Amino acid sequence: MQQFTIHPSAIVDQGAQIGAGSRIWHFVHVCGGAKIGQGVSLGQNVFIGNQVTIGDRCKVQNNVSVYDNVTLEEGVFCGPSMVFTNVHNPRALIERKNEYRNTLVKKGATLGANCTVVCGVTIGEYAFVGAGAVVNKDVKPYALMVGVPARQVGWMSQFGEQIPLPLQGQGSATCPHTGASYSLQGDTLTRAA
């Protein structure tokens, strides 16, 4: 008995692993080598490649293609029509499948609508990439990134609210929604245990 939901228009190739409680909506294609965790939502017109791992409780919104060599840890949000790549210098006439670069999006990160993540980067825990940004280098945990190319303009809490601290220095702040404490040391933000 299936413990997940697949819309009749979706194609899920044999061999794909899908966790309990996941929902696969209209016109989705999941390739046979994909590993999808529990409670995942794949919106309309999503593509999931063979060498892709998606952690529990991720939300992949409409029109997102998650190509080979992309890993999403638990609780990642992929906004509508955001873009992943896996080849750094693609050419239609040159085969480069053996040159795919790994992309890792860590727990709780948000990738805003229409942003682009260039292959080979790591996006830190609970980072927040704004709509339309182009990420071409690693992103620190909790960093708020905007622009083309993406640059850090602030910090975000796990709740998804901006933290009133400078990009560098020393300081602390408390999330008004959760009471969680955050500490800035140099250019690194951490959440107190």
Side-chain angles (χ1 to χ4, degrees):
M1 180 177 167
Q2 283 187 333
Q3 298 178 352
F4 45 81
T5 303
I6 300 175
H7 189 271
S9 66
I11 298 169
V12 178
D13 293 341
Q14 186 172 355
Q17 299 175 31
I18 302 171
S22 290
R23 297 171 311 220
I24 298 173
W25 295 107
H26 305 70
F27 313 115
V28 170
H29 181 191
V30 178
C31 291
K35 297 180 178 86
I36 297 171
Q38 297 181 10
V40 171
S41 177
L42 302 180
Q44 180 174 306
N45 198 38
V46 165
F47 170 79
I48 307 295
N50 274 304
Q51 297 172 44
V52 169
T53 301
I54 297 179
D56 295 344
R57 299 184 302 154
C58 288
K59 288 185 169 60
V60 182
Q61 301 293 84
N62 296 355
N63 305 313
V64 175
S65 292
V66 186
Y67 295 118
D68 285 351
N69 292 49
V70 173
T71 299
L72 308 180
E73 291 186 350
E74 178 185 3
V76 170
F77 178 88
C78 297
S81 301
M82 64 80 46
V83 176
F84 288 104
T85 68
N86 60 7
V87 177
H88 184 71
N89 55 341
R91 291 283 198 202
L93 300 175
I94 299 172
E95 184 69 40
R96 291 203 161 113
K97 289 185 178 180
N98 63 342
E99 297 177 23
Y100 286 171
R101 294 186 182 182
N102 298 330
T103 298
L104 173 61
V105 184
K106 293 196 168 185
K107 181 178 180 178
T110 292
L111 307 176
N114 283 311
C115 76
T116 298
V117 177
V118 177
C119 58
V121 302
T122 297
I123 297 176
E125 294 89 348
Y126 300 100
F128 197 105
V129 176
V134 176
V135 176
N136 62 0
K137 61 183 178 181
D138 290 352
V139 174
K140 297 174 189 169
Y142 302 103
L144 172 59
M145 307 292 288
V146 300
V148 179
R151 67 194 184 289
Q152 186 179 0
V153 296
W155 301 102
M156 295 291 275
S157 71
Q158 288 184 15
F159 189 78
E161 297 287 337
Q162 193 162 358
I163 298 172
L165 289 171
L167 297 183
Q168 295 186 36
Q170 296 200 357
S172 60
T174 301
C175 175
H177 298 282
T178 65
S181 296
Y182 295 86
S183 175
L184 178 65
Q185 296 293 323
D187 64 354
T188 302
L189 187 76
T190 56
R191 181 181 173 195

